[in-house]
């Protein structure tokens, strides 16, 4: 039973991390636009890296505090 509960928490943290990743990338691409004289494609790649980094930090904290406490 405890394993199912932990798996549920794991999935919730992962889904939220995906939403955060996509939201950050969407915001950076559509609201800020290309910065630092980068092309639109290069800015999309930088935005993806930033979104992944933010989601990674959220996942780490979420796993540490919620899932595997």
């Amino acid at each position: 039973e405890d394993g199912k509960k932990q798996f549920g928490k794991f999935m919730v943290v992962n889904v939220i991390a995906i939403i955060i990743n996509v939201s950050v990338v969407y915001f950076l691409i559509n609201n800020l636009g290309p910065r630092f004289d980068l092309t639109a494609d290069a800015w999309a790649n930088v935005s993806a890296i930033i979104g992944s980094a933010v989601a990674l930090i959220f996942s780490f904290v979420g796993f540490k505090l919620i899932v595997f406490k």
Side-chain angles (χ1 to χ4, degrees), residues 4-5 7-11 14-15 17 21 25 30 38 44-47 52 54-55 57-58 61-63 65 67 69:
K4 289 181 182 180
K5 189 173 182 181
F7 180 73
K9 291 178 184 180
F10 178 82
M11 291 305 296
N14 278 318
V15 168
N21 187 356
V25 172
N30 294 314
L38 294 173
N45 289 334
V46 169
S47 298
S52 295
V54 172
I57 293 167
F58 172 82
V61 172
F63 293 151
L65 298 179
V67 180
K69 57 181 177 174

Side-chain angles (χ1 to χ4, degrees), residues 15-60:
V15 168
I16 294 172
I18 291 169
I19 292 169
I20 288 172
N21 187 356
V22 171
S23 298
V24 168
V25 172
Y26 178 84
F27 175 79
L28 291 175
I29 291 174
N30 294 314
N31 292 352
L32 291 183
R35 302 277 190 229
F36 312 114
D37 294 327
L38 294 173
T39 65
D41 288 339
W43 181 247
N45 289 334
V46 169
S47 298
I49 292 168
I50 293 170
S52 295
V54 172
L56 177 72
I57 293 167
F58 172 82
S59 294
F60 177 79

